[in-house]
Amino acid sequence: MGYYITVEPGINVYVEDLNPAGHRTILLIHGWPGNHNLFEYQLEQLPKMGYRCVAMDCRGFGLSDKPWSGYDYNRLSDDIRCVVDALKLQNFTLGGHSTGGAICVRYMARHNGYGVSKLALFAAAAPSLIQRPYFPYGLNREAVINIIQGVYTDRPKTLRDFGSMIFHNYVSEPLSDWIFYLGLQAAGWSTAAIANTWLDEEGLFNDLKTIKVPTLILHGINDQVCLFPLAIAQNNSIKNSKLVPFESCGHFLFYDQRERFNEELIKFIEV
């Protein structure tokens, strides 16, 4: 079922809640610039196996409201808390892809992991998507600035260019087109605002160290967006974490290696 949940006065986010009677719950947070539909091949499989799957569109994306502001990790993690409270989620697995993974990390620190029994990070943009003087990994700052400028001048081309970076293995042209159109469903200002957050956000380095729950880190060796050293940094910072490298795999690992992705995630939830 689909719901709209109020996260601020006059601002609502869209949430899909599949198989509410499921024996275990996972809450999925998508990456930039998509929406909950990116998890289609999890949302159609896991409920059949008895899991409750909750997937939200972050503000500014998909079917959620698109306010002018509120795109920093603090506010986005507060939106997750609103969903958790509204649906009364307890003892659930929190899973996030790319920027969604970074938001999940902030949720764990800012809300003390409220309700979360396990954390799963998929090609997460943490601790930093960009290179910094003390963190020589990630994308060049100039590359992100170019993305922001491209969003303001030719957003469709910018999203097409981004789409050329996300896969390592072959996907059909229709599938690539579909993911492109999911990105176009976002507002231009929210798309740019999230990219700006990549530049300014440095708190995830400390946030990672606060995570106490069992954590699964799935990351493609060939990821061109969130480079593999980010996964190593996550694994080194989170005490109770397990890193599973995906060889021959890019940023969208739930498409590049869909079956293995689902297997690893299910195995982790069941342990």
Short mmCIF file of all heavy atoms in Angstrom, two decimals, residues 57-120:
data_model
loop_
_atom_site.label_atom_id
_atom_site.label_comp_id
_atom_site.label_asym_id
_atom_site.label_seq_id
_atom_site.Cartn_x
_atom_site.Cartn_y
_atom_site.Cartn_z
N ASP A 57 10.05 7.59 -0.74
CA ASP A 57 10.65 8.58 -1.63
C ASP A 57 11.13 9.73 -0.76
O ASP A 57 10.33 10.37 -0.05
CB ASP A 57 9.63 9.11 -2.63
CG ASP A 57 9.29 8.11 -3.72
OD1 ASP A 57 10.00 7.10 -3.85
OD2 ASP A 57 8.28 8.33 -4.43
N CYS A 58 12.43 10.01 -0.78
CA CYS A 58 12.93 11.15 -0.03
C CYS A 58 12.27 12.44 -0.53
O CYS A 58 11.88 12.53 -1.70
CB CYS A 58 14.44 11.26 -0.18
SG CYS A 58 15.35 9.88 0.57
N ARG A 59 12.14 13.42 0.34
CA ARG A 59 11.56 14.70 -0.08
C ARG A 59 12.28 15.22 -1.32
O ARG A 59 13.51 15.08 -1.46
CB ARG A 59 11.65 15.72 1.04
CG ARG A 59 13.06 16.13 1.43
CD ARG A 59 13.06 17.36 2.30
NE ARG A 59 12.41 17.12 3.58
CZ ARG A 59 11.90 18.09 4.33
NH1 ARG A 59 11.97 19.34 3.94
NH2 ARG A 59 11.32 17.80 5.48
N GLY A 60 11.51 15.77 -2.25
CA GLY A 60 12.09 16.29 -3.48
C GLY A 60 12.18 15.29 -4.60
O GLY A 60 12.52 15.65 -5.73
N PHE A 61 11.86 14.02 -4.32
CA PHE A 61 12.06 12.95 -5.30
C PHE A 61 10.79 12.10 -5.41
O PHE A 61 10.00 12.00 -4.48
CB PHE A 61 13.26 12.09 -4.90
CG PHE A 61 14.55 12.85 -4.90
CD1 PHE A 61 14.92 13.61 -3.79
CD2 PHE A 61 15.38 12.85 -6.01
CE1 PHE A 61 16.09 14.35 -3.79
CE2 PHE A 61 16.55 13.59 -6.02
CZ PHE A 61 16.91 14.34 -4.91
N GLY A 62 10.63 11.47 -6.57
CA GLY A 62 9.51 10.57 -6.76
C GLY A 62 8.18 11.24 -6.53
O GLY A 62 7.91 12.34 -7.04
N LEU A 63 7.32 10.60 -5.75
CA LEU A 63 5.98 11.10 -5.48
C LEU A 63 5.90 11.97 -4.24
O LEU A 63 4.82 12.43 -3.88
CB LEU A 63 5.02 9.92 -5.34
CG LEU A 63 4.84 9.04 -6.59
CD1 LEU A 63 3.97 7.83 -6.28
CD2 LEU A 63 4.27 9.84 -7.75
N SER A 64 7.01 12.18 -3.56
CA SER A 64 7.01 13.01 -2.36
C SER A 64 6.90 14.49 -2.72
O SER A 64 7.19 14.90 -3.85
CB SER A 64 8.27 12.77 -1.52
OG SER A 64 8.25 11.49 -0.93
N ASP A 65 6.49 15.29 -1.73
CA ASP A 65 6.47 16.73 -1.93
C ASP A 65 7.87 17.24 -2.20
O ASP A 65 8.87 16.63 -1.79
CB ASP A 65 5.90 17.43 -0.69
CG ASP A 65 4.39 17.20 -0.54
OD1 ASP A 65 3.76 16.75 -1.52
OD2 ASP A 65 3.86 17.48 0.54
N LYS A 66 7.92 18.38 -2.87
CA LYS A 66 9.21 18.92 -3.33
C LYS A 66 9.39 20.35 -2.83
O LYS A 66 9.36 21.31 -3.60
CB LYS A 66 9.28 18.85 -4.85
CG LYS A 66 9.17 17.40 -5.37
CD LYS A 66 9.01 17.30 -6.86
CE LYS A 66 9.04 15.86 -7.34
NZ LYS A 66 7.96 15.03 -6.77
N PRO A 67 9.60 20.50 -1.51
CA PRO A 67 9.81 21.84 -0.97
C PRO A 67 11.13 22.43 -1.44
O PRO A 67 11.99 21.72 -1.96
CB PRO A 67 9.81 21.60 0.54
CG PRO A 67 10.28 20.19 0.70
CD PRO A 67 9.72 19.46 -0.49
N TRP A 68 11.26 23.73 -1.21
CA TRP A 68 12.47 24.41 -1.66
C TRP A 68 13.68 24.06 -0.81
O TRP A 68 14.81 24.09 -1.27
CB TRP A 68 12.24 25.93 -1.64
CG TRP A 68 13.39 26.71 -2.18
CD1 TRP A 68 14.27 27.50 -1.48
CD2 TRP A 68 13.83 26.78 -3.54
NE1 TRP A 68 15.21 28.04 -2.31
CE2 TRP A 68 14.95 27.61 -3.60
CE3 TRP A 68 13.35 26.21 -4.73
CZ2 TRP A 68 15.62 27.90 -4.78
CZ3 TRP A 68 14.02 26.49 -5.91
CH2 TRP A 68 15.14 27.32 -5.92
N SER A 69 13.44 23.69 0.45
CA SER A 69 14.56 23.47 1.38
C SER A 69 14.40 22.14 2.10
O SER A 69 13.41 21.44 1.94
CB SER A 69 14.62 24.62 2.39
OG SER A 69 13.43 24.67 3.14
N GLY A 70 15.41 21.83 2.91
CA GLY A 70 15.35 20.62 3.73
C GLY A 70 16.14 19.46 3.18
O GLY A 70 15.80 18.30 3.46
N TYR A 71 17.23 19.73 2.45
CA TYR A 71 17.94 18.64 1.77
C TYR A 71 19.31 18.33 2.39
O TYR A 71 20.16 17.72 1.76
CB TYR A 71 18.07 18.97 0.28
CG TYR A 71 16.72 19.08 -0.37
CD1 TYR A 71 16.16 20.32 -0.66
CD2 TYR A 71 15.96 17.95 -0.65
CE1 TYR A 71 14.89 20.43 -1.22
CE2 TYR A 71 14.69 18.04 -1.21
CZ TYR A 71 14.17 19.29 -1.49
OH TYR A 71 12.91 19.39 -2.03
N ASP A 72 19.50 18.76 3.62
CA ASP A 72 20.70 18.35 4.35
C ASP A 72 20.43 17.02 5.03
O ASP A 72 19.28 16.61 5.22
CB ASP A 72 21.09 19.41 5.38
CG ASP A 72 19.99 19.63 6.41
OD1 ASP A 72 19.02 20.36 6.11
OD2 ASP A 72 20.08 19.03 7.50
N TYR A 73 21.50 16.34 5.42
CA TYR A 73 21.34 14.99 5.99
C TYR A 73 20.57 15.00 7.31
O TYR A 73 19.88 14.03 7.62
CB TYR A 73 22.71 14.34 6.18
CG TYR A 73 23.40 13.95 4.90
CD1 TYR A 73 24.78 13.76 4.85
CD2 TYR A 73 22.68 13.76 3.71
CE1 TYR A 73 25.42 13.40 3.68
CE2 TYR A 73 23.32 13.40 2.54
CZ TYR A 73 24.69 13.22 2.53
OH TYR A 73 25.33 12.86 1.37
N ASN A 74 20.68 16.07 8.08
CA ASN A 74 19.93 16.14 9.33
C ASN A 74 18.43 16.07 9.07
O ASN A 74 17.71 15.27 9.66
CB ASN A 74 20.27 17.41 10.09
CG ASN A 74 21.63 17.35 10.76
OD1 ASN A 74 22.25 16.29 10.83
ND2 ASN A 74 22.11 18.48 11.24
N ARG A 75 17.94 16.94 8.18
CA ARG A 75 16.51 16.98 7.90
C ARG A 75 16.05 15.69 7.23
O ARG A 75 14.97 15.16 7.53
CB ARG A 75 16.20 18.18 7.02
CG ARG A 75 14.73 18.36 6.63
CD ARG A 75 13.84 18.57 7.83
NE ARG A 75 13.04 17.38 8.14
CZ ARG A 75 12.16 17.33 9.13
NH1 ARG A 75 11.98 18.37 9.91
NH2 ARG A 75 11.47 16.22 9.34
N LEU A 76 16.85 15.16 6.33
CA LEU A 76 16.47 13.93 5.63
C LEU A 76 16.41 12.75 6.60
O LEU A 76 15.55 11.88 6.46
CB LEU A 76 17.45 13.66 4.49
CG LEU A 76 17.40 14.68 3.34
CD1 LEU A 76 18.62 14.54 2.43
CD2 LEU A 76 16.12 14.53 2.53
N SER A 77 17.32 12.72 7.56
CA SER A 77 17.25 11.65 8.56
C SER A 77 16.05 11.85 9.49
O SER A 77 15.44 10.88 9.96
CB SER A 77 18.55 11.57 9.36
OG SER A 77 18.71 12.67 10.24
N ASP A 78 15.69 13.11 9.75
CA ASP A 78 14.49 13.38 10.54
C ASP A 78 13.24 12.89 9.82
O ASP A 78 12.28 12.43 10.45
CB ASP A 78 14.37 14.87 10.83
CG ASP A 78 15.44 15.38 11.79
OD1 ASP A 78 16.16 14.55 12.39
OD2 ASP A 78 15.56 16.61 11.94
N ASP A 79 13.25 13.00 8.48
CA ASP A 79 12.12 12.48 7.70
C ASP A 79 11.98 10.97 7.89
O ASP A 79 10.86 10.45 7.98
CB ASP A 79 12.31 12.81 6.21
CG ASP A 79 12.15 14.29 5.90
OD1 ASP A 79 11.74 15.06 6.80
OD2 ASP A 79 12.43 14.68 4.75
N ILE A 80 13.11 10.27 7.93
CA ILE A 80 13.06 8.83 8.19
C ILE A 80 12.43 8.57 9.55
O ILE A 80 11.57 7.68 9.70
CB ILE A 80 14.47 8.21 8.12
CG1 ILE A 80 15.03 8.27 6.70
CG2 ILE A 80 14.44 6.76 8.60
CD1 ILE A 80 16.44 7.74 6.57
N ARG A 81 12.82 9.34 10.54
CA ARG A 81 12.26 9.16 11.88
C ARG A 81 10.74 9.35 11.87
O ARG A 81 10.01 8.61 12.56
CB ARG A 81 12.91 10.13 12.87
CG ARG A 81 12.36 10.07 14.29
CD ARG A 81 12.54 8.67 14.92
NE ARG A 81 11.90 8.60 16.24
CZ ARG A 81 12.52 8.84 17.39
NH1 ARG A 81 13.81 9.17 17.38
NH2 ARG A 81 11.88 8.74 18.52
N CYS A 82 10.27 10.31 11.09
CA CYS A 82 8.82 10.53 10.99
C CYS A 82 8.12 9.30 10.43
O CYS A 82 7.03 8.92 10.88
CB CYS A 82 8.53 11.76 10.13
SG CYS A 82 9.02 13.33 10.86
N VAL A 83 8.75 8.67 9.42
CA VAL A 83 8.17 7.46 8.83
C VAL A 83 8.19 6.32 9.84
O VAL A 83 7.20 5.57 9.99
CB VAL A 83 8.94 7.08 7.55
CG1 VAL A 83 8.51 5.70 7.04
CG2 VAL A 83 8.73 8.13 6.47
N VAL A 84 9.30 6.17 10.55
CA VAL A 84 9.41 5.12 11.57
C VAL A 84 8.34 5.29 12.63
O VAL A 84 7.67 4.32 13.02
CB VAL A 84 10.82 5.14 12.20
CG1 VAL A 84 10.89 4.23 13.42
CG2 VAL A 84 11.88 4.73 11.18
N ASP A 85 8.15 6.52 13.07
CA ASP A 85 7.14 6.77 14.11
C ASP A 85 5.72 6.54 13.58
O ASP A 85 4.88 5.94 14.26
CB ASP A 85 7.28 8.20 14.63
CG ASP A 85 8.51 8.40 15.50
OD1 ASP A 85 9.07 7.39 15.97
OD2 ASP A 85 8.91 9.56 15.70
N ALA A 86 5.45 7.02 12.36
CA ALA A 86 4.09 6.91 11.81
C ALA A 86 3.69 5.46 11.61
O ALA A 86 2.53 5.08 11.84
CB ALA A 86 4.00 7.69 10.50
N LEU A 87 4.64 4.63 11.15
CA LEU A 87 4.35 3.23 10.90
C LEU A 87 4.65 2.33 12.10
O LEU A 87 4.50 1.11 12.02
CB LEU A 87 5.12 2.74 9.67
CG LEU A 87 4.78 3.43 8.35
CD1 LEU A 87 5.60 2.84 7.20
CD2 LEU A 87 3.29 3.34 8.04
N LYS A 88 5.17 2.95 13.17
CA LYS A 88 5.49 2.22 14.41
C LYS A 88 6.45 1.05 14.13
O LYS A 88 6.23 -0.08 14.58
CB LYS A 88 4.21 1.72 15.09
CG LYS A 88 3.30 2.85 15.56
CD LYS A 88 2.05 2.30 16.23
CE LYS A 88 1.23 3.40 16.88
NZ LYS A 88 0.82 4.46 15.92
N LEU A 89 7.49 1.33 13.37
CA LEU A 89 8.47 0.30 13.03
C LEU A 89 9.39 0.02 14.21
O LEU A 89 9.88 0.94 14.87
CB LEU A 89 9.30 0.74 11.82
CG LEU A 89 8.54 1.09 10.55
CD1 LEU A 89 9.51 1.46 9.43
CD2 LEU A 89 7.65 -0.06 10.11
N GLN A 90 9.64 -1.25 14.46
CA GLN A 90 10.52 -1.68 15.54
C GLN A 90 11.37 -2.84 15.06
O GLN A 90 10.95 -3.65 14.24
CB GLN A 90 9.73 -2.11 16.77
CG GLN A 90 8.89 -1.01 17.40
CD GLN A 90 8.10 -1.51 18.59
OE1 GLN A 90 7.91 -2.71 18.78
NE2 GLN A 90 7.60 -0.58 19.40
N ASN A 91 12.59 -2.92 15.59
CA ASN A 91 13.48 -4.04 15.28
C ASN A 91 13.57 -4.30 13.78
O ASN A 91 13.45 -5.44 13.32
CB ASN A 91 13.01 -5.31 16.01
CG ASN A 91 13.04 -5.14 17.51
OD1 ASN A 91 13.99 -4.57 18.06
ND2 ASN A 91 12.01 -5.63 18.18
N PHE A 92 13.77 -3.25 13.02
CA PHE A 92 13.82 -3.38 11.57
C PHE A 92 15.25 -3.22 11.05
O PHE A 92 16.13 -2.70 11.75
CB PHE A 92 12.89 -2.36 10.89
CG PHE A 92 13.27 -0.92 11.11
CD1 PHE A 92 14.07 -0.24 10.18
CD2 PHE A 92 12.82 -0.23 12.22
CE1 PHE A 92 14.42 1.09 10.38
CE2 PHE A 92 13.15 1.11 12.42
CZ PHE A 92 13.96 1.76 11.50
N THR A 93 15.45 -3.71 9.83
CA THR A 93 16.71 -3.48 9.12
C THR A 93 16.57 -2.21 8.31
O THR A 93 15.62 -2.05 7.55
CB THR A 93 17.03 -4.66 8.19
OG1 THR A 93 17.19 -5.86 8.97
CG2 THR A 93 18.31 -4.40 7.41
N LEU A 94 17.51 -1.29 8.47
CA LEU A 94 17.54 -0.05 7.71
C LEU A 94 18.57 -0.20 6.60
O LEU A 94 19.74 -0.49 6.88
CB LEU A 94 17.89 1.12 8.62
CG LEU A 94 18.01 2.50 7.96
CD1 LEU A 94 16.68 2.93 7.34
CD2 LEU A 94 18.50 3.53 8.97
N GLY A 95 18.13 -0.02 5.35
CA GLY A 95 19.03 -0.19 4.22
C GLY A 95 19.05 1.04 3.35
O GLY A 95 17.99 1.59 3.02
N GLY A 96 20.24 1.48 2.95
CA GLY A 96 20.32 2.67 2.11
C GLY A 96 21.35 2.53 1.01
O GLY A 96 22.44 1.98 1.22
N HIS A 97 21.00 3.04 -0.17
CA HIS A 97 21.89 3.00 -1.32
C HIS A 97 22.46 4.38 -1.61
O HIS A 97 21.72 5.37 -1.63
CB HIS A 97 21.13 2.50 -2.57
CG HIS A 97 21.93 2.60 -3.84
ND1 HIS A 97 21.56 3.41 -4.89
CD2 HIS A 97 23.09 2.00 -4.20
CE1 HIS A 97 22.45 3.30 -5.85
NE2 HIS A 97 23.38 2.45 -5.46
N SER A 98 23.77 4.46 -1.81
CA SER A 98 24.44 5.68 -2.24
C SER A 98 24.16 6.82 -1.27
O SER A 98 24.45 6.71 -0.08
CB SER A 98 24.00 6.01 -3.67
OG SER A 98 24.85 6.98 -4.26
N THR A 99 23.57 7.92 -1.73
CA THR A 99 23.23 9.01 -0.82
C THR A 99 22.25 8.53 0.24
O THR A 99 22.30 8.98 1.40
CB THR A 99 22.64 10.19 -1.59
OG1 THR A 99 23.63 10.69 -2.51
CG2 THR A 99 22.22 11.32 -0.66
N GLY A 100 21.37 7.60 -0.12
CA GLY A 100 20.47 7.02 0.87
C GLY A 100 21.23 6.33 1.99
O GLY A 100 20.80 6.35 3.14
N GLY A 101 22.35 5.72 1.66
CA GLY A 101 23.20 5.12 2.69
C GLY A 101 23.78 6.16 3.62
O GLY A 101 23.86 5.96 4.83
N ALA A 102 24.19 7.30 3.06
CA ALA A 102 24.71 8.39 3.89
C ALA A 102 23.63 8.91 4.83
O ALA A 102 23.90 9.20 6.01
CB ALA A 102 25.23 9.51 3.00
N ILE A 103 22.41 9.04 4.33
CA ILE A 103 21.30 9.50 5.17
C ILE A 103 21.05 8.50 6.29
O ILE A 103 20.76 8.88 7.43
CB ILE A 103 20.04 9.72 4.32
CG1 ILE A 103 20.29 10.80 3.26
CG2 ILE A 103 18.85 10.10 5.19
CD1 ILE A 103 19.21 10.87 2.19
N CYS A 104 21.15 7.21 5.98
CA CYS A 104 20.97 6.18 7.01
C CYS A 104 22.05 6.29 8.09
O CYS A 104 21.76 6.12 9.28
CB CYS A 104 21.01 4.79 6.38
SG CYS A 104 19.57 4.39 5.36
N VAL A 105 23.27 6.55 7.69
CA VAL A 105 24.35 6.74 8.66
C VAL A 105 24.03 7.91 9.58
O VAL A 105 24.20 7.82 10.81
CB VAL A 105 25.70 6.95 7.95
CG1 VAL A 105 26.79 7.39 8.93
CG2 VAL A 105 26.13 5.67 7.23
N ARG A 106 23.55 9.01 9.02
CA ARG A 106 23.18 10.15 9.85
C ARG A 106 22.02 9.80 10.78
O ARG A 106 21.99 10.24 11.93
CB ARG A 106 22.84 11.35 8.96
CG ARG A 106 22.32 12.59 9.71
CD ARG A 106 23.28 13.10 10.81
NE ARG A 106 24.65 13.22 10.37
CZ ARG A 106 25.15 14.26 9.71
NH1 ARG A 106 24.37 15.28 9.40
NH2 ARG A 106 26.43 14.28 9.35
N TYR A 107 21.05 9.03 10.28
CA TYR A 107 19.94 8.59 11.13
C TYR A 107 20.47 7.83 12.34
O TYR A 107 20.01 8.04 13.48
CB TYR A 107 18.97 7.72 10.34
CG TYR A 107 17.83 7.19 11.18
CD1 TYR A 107 16.66 7.93 11.34
CD2 TYR A 107 17.90 5.94 11.80
CE1 TYR A 107 15.62 7.47 12.12
CE2 TYR A 107 16.86 5.46 12.58
CZ TYR A 107 15.72 6.23 12.74
OH TYR A 107 14.69 5.75 13.53
N MET A 108 21.41 6.93 12.11
CA MET A 108 21.93 6.12 13.21
C MET A 108 22.58 6.99 14.27
O MET A 108 22.46 6.71 15.48
CB MET A 108 22.94 5.10 12.67
CG MET A 108 22.35 4.09 11.70
SD MET A 108 21.00 3.10 12.38
CE MET A 108 21.87 2.19 13.66
N ALA A 109 23.27 8.05 13.86
CA ALA A 109 23.94 8.93 14.81
C ALA A 109 22.97 9.92 15.44
O ALA A 109 22.93 10.09 16.67
CB ALA A 109 25.08 9.68 14.12
N ARG A 110 22.17 10.58 14.62
CA ARG A 110 21.29 11.66 15.09
C ARG A 110 20.12 11.12 15.92
O ARG A 110 19.70 11.78 16.89
CB ARG A 110 20.76 12.43 13.88
CG ARG A 110 19.90 13.65 14.20
CD ARG A 110 19.64 14.43 12.92
NE ARG A 110 18.68 15.49 13.09
CZ ARG A 110 18.96 16.72 13.53
NH1 ARG A 110 20.21 17.02 13.89
NH2 ARG A 110 18.02 17.64 13.62
N HIS A 111 19.62 9.93 15.57
CA HIS A 111 18.48 9.36 16.28
C HIS A 111 18.86 8.12 17.08
O HIS A 111 17.99 7.33 17.46
CB HIS A 111 17.36 9.06 15.29
CG HIS A 111 16.78 10.30 14.67
ND1 HIS A 111 15.85 11.08 15.32
CD2 HIS A 111 17.06 10.92 13.49
CE1 HIS A 111 15.55 12.12 14.54
NE2 HIS A 111 16.26 12.05 13.43
N ASN A 112 20.15 7.96 17.28
CA ASN A 112 20.66 6.86 18.09
C ASN A 112 20.13 5.51 17.61
O ASN A 112 19.85 4.61 18.40
CB ASN A 112 20.30 7.07 19.57
CG ASN A 112 21.13 6.20 20.51
OD1 ASN A 112 22.27 5.88 20.21
ND2 ASN A 112 20.55 5.83 21.63
N GLY A 113 19.99 5.40 16.27
CA GLY A 113 19.54 4.14 15.68
C GLY A 113 18.16 3.72 16.13
O GLY A 113 17.88 2.51 16.20
N TYR A 114 17.29 4.66 16.39
CA TYR A 114 15.97 4.35 16.95
C TYR A 114 15.23 3.30 16.11
O TYR A 114 14.98 3.50 14.92
CB TYR A 114 15.12 5.63 17.03
CG TYR A 114 13.75 5.41 17.59
CD1 TYR A 114 13.54 5.33 18.97
CD2 TYR A 114 12.64 5.27 16.75
CE1 TYR A 114 12.28 5.12 19.50
CE2 TYR A 114 11.37 5.06 17.28
CZ TYR A 114 11.20 4.98 18.65
OH TYR A 114 9.95 4.76 19.16
N GLY A 115 14.89 2.18 16.75
CA GLY A 115 14.12 1.13 16.12
C GLY A 115 14.92 0.18 15.25
O GLY A 115 14.39 -0.84 14.80
N VAL A 116 16.18 0.50 14.97
CA VAL A 116 16.98 -0.28 14.02
C VAL A 116 17.71 -1.40 14.74
O VAL A 116 18.43 -1.18 15.72
CB VAL A 116 18.01 0.63 13.30
CG1 VAL A 116 18.89 -0.20 12.35
CG2 VAL A 116 17.30 1.75 12.54
N SER A 117 17.53 -2.62 14.24
CA SER A 117 18.26 -3.76 14.79
C SER A 117 19.48 -4.11 13.94
O SER A 117 20.45 -4.67 14.44
CB SER A 117 17.34 -4.98 14.90
OG SER A 117 16.80 -5.33 13.63
N LYS A 118 19.41 -3.77 12.63
CA LYS A 118 20.52 -4.02 11.72
C LYS A 118 20.57 -2.90 10.68
O LYS A 118 19.53 -2.32 10.34
CB LYS A 118 20.36 -5.37 11.01
CG LYS A 118 20.42 -6.57 11.93
CD LYS A 118 20.27 -7.87 11.16
CE LYS A 118 20.33 -9.08 12.10
NZ LYS A 118 20.20 -10.36 11.35
N LEU A 119 21.77 -2.65 10.16
CA LEU A 119 21.98 -1.62 9.15
C LEU A 119 22.62 -2.26 7.92
O LEU A 119 23.54 -3.08 8.06
CB LEU A 119 22.89 -0.52 9.69
CG LEU A 119 23.30 0.60 8.73
CD1 LEU A 119 22.10 1.44 8.32
CD2 LEU A 119 24.38 1.47 9.37
N ALA A 120 22.14 -1.89 6.75
CA ALA A 120 22.72 -2.39 5.49
C ALA A 120 23.05 -1.20 4.60
O ALA A 120 22.18 -0.36 4.34
CB ALA A 120 21.75 -3.34 4.79
#
